[in-house]
């Protein structure tokens, strides 16, 4: 299994400005109710501007090669949780199968419950971007995204979509739920790109 160690990217300070550490605590931040997963009907799709659209059942998903990524998590509400060990499937593994078309520059993450979030497609090729089923050796708890969540450690944690069911590759950036409600379109914690307006 491939293992990726902490990489804050481009030589940055480990903890971004304005963040405090929660230690062993792990807050749950969800807008709305926690969706329940039915693994017998669960599927995962890669759609939009790709040569090979993909669709997986839960059984098929579990055949994909696993990676382990150690990464920090930074929420826009200012808490950070360090040293999370995630296990799952590299996003880039899926993208190599799906083959995004040249014009596919952005993605939209689609979740059970209707949550969405967006980012440039290149973020998904980073070696610490994965679809995680496990955190610190345990399956994700329902509140943290069971059975599957996206983890994009280089961006604020609202981009790490819980209960994810698919990604859609797009030519234009498409603001997701929080991006439409005042959060920054990109959300780099080291540049404190918290909101799309200033106070
Ligand atoms: N589907 C979904 N994913 C989501 C959210 C959400 O409300 N719905 N909240 C986001 C926010 S704001 C944060 S900070 C992280 C929190 O992850 P945690 O609850 O596992 O700590 O999940 C993100 N992913
Ligand atoms: Mo958040």
């Amino acid at each position: 299994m491939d293992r990726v160690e902490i990489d804050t990217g481009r030589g940055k300070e480990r903890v971004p400005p304005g963040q405090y550490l929660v230690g062993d605590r792990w807050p749950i931040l969800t807008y709305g109710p926690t969706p329940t997963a039915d693994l017998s009907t669960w599927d995962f799709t890669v759609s939009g501007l790709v040569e090979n659209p993909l669709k997986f059942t839960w059984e098929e998903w579990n055949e994909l090669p696993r990676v382990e990524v150690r990464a920090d998590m930074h929420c826009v509400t200012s808490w950070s949780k360090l040293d999370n060990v995630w296990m799952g499937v590299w996003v880039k593994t899926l993208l190599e199968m799906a083959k995004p078309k040249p014009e596919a520059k952005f993605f939209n993450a689609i979740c059970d419950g209707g949550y969405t979030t967006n980012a440039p497609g290149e973020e998904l090729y980073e070696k610490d971007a994965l679809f995680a089923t496990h955190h610190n050796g345990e399956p994700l708890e329902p509140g943290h995204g069971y059975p599957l969540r996206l983890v994009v450690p280089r961006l604020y944690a609202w981009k790490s979509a819980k209960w994810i069911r698919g990604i859609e590759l797009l030519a234009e950036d498409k603001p997701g739920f929080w991006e439409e409600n005042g959060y920054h379109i990109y959300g780099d914690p080291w540049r404190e790109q918290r909101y799309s307006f200033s106070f």
Side-chain angles (χ1 to χ4, degrees):
M1 183 163 67
D2 283 293
R3 287 201 161 74
V4 177
E5 285 300 316
I6 300 274
D7 179 4
T8 57
R10 306 167 278 259
K12 292 169 176 157
E13 293 285 313
R14 176 119 182 229
V15 180
Q19 297 294 111
Y20 69 90
L21 303 182
V22 290
D24 290 337
R25 240 170 18 92
W26 189 10
I28 290 180
L29 258 94
T30 303
Y31 184 84
T34 296
T36 27
D38 177 355
L39 297 182
S40 66
T41 55
W42 186 93
D43 60 14
F44 188 92
T45 58
V46 181
S47 62
L49 299 170
V50 293
E51 303 289 349
N52 302 320
L54 304 175
K55 190 169 195 149
F56 298 86
T57 64
W58 181 245
E59 285 70 33
E60 290 163 345
W61 183 266
N62 286 287
E63 303 290 311
L64 293 167
R66 294 301 151 108
V67 296
E68 209 174 78
V69 173
R70 182 185 297 273
D72 301 335
M73 182 174 186
H74 309 295
C75 173
V76 71
T77 63
S78 297
W79 57 268
S80 289
K81 182 168 172 58
L82 306 185
D83 281 314
N84 304 281
V85 179
W86 303 100
M87 191 181 74
V89 178
W90 260 329
V91 184
K92 67 177 179 187
T93 301
L94 276 267
L95 294 175
E96 281 160 9
M97 295 168 76
K99 299 190 176 24
K101 296 179 179 172
E103 63 270 30
K105 299 286 187 228
F106 299 92
F107 74 91
N108 177 36
I110 303 160
C111 304
D112 273 337
Y115 185 86
T116 54
T117 188
N118 60 291
E122 62 200 33
E123 297 299 325
L124 300 180
Y125 286 93
E126 296 285 1
K127 63 184 186 297
D128 53 5
L130 79 162
F131 296 111
T133 50
H134 290 69
H135 177 269
N136 292 353
E138 303 286 338
L140 291 172
E141 285 173 22
H144 290 299
Y146 175 86
L148 189 73
R149 77 179 298 165
L150 177 61
V151 179
V152 187
R154 289 157 204 255
L155 299 177
Y156 278 123
W158 85 78
K159 305 279 184 182
S160 292
K162 303 188 280 192
W163 314 290
I164 190 164
R165 292 287 299 278
I167 53 169
E168 188 186 13
L169 279 294
L170 303 167
E172 309 285 337
D173 208 358
K174 176 176 163 183
F177 173 74
W178 279 120
E179 293 82 4
E180 283 208 310
N181 285 282
Y183 284 13
H184 197 277
I185 190 79
Y186 182 60
D188 179 347
W190 286 271
R191 286 187 275 168
E192 285 209 76
Q193 294 175 335
R194 296 177 192 272
Y195 308 106
S196 53
F197 53 86
S198 14
F199 291 101

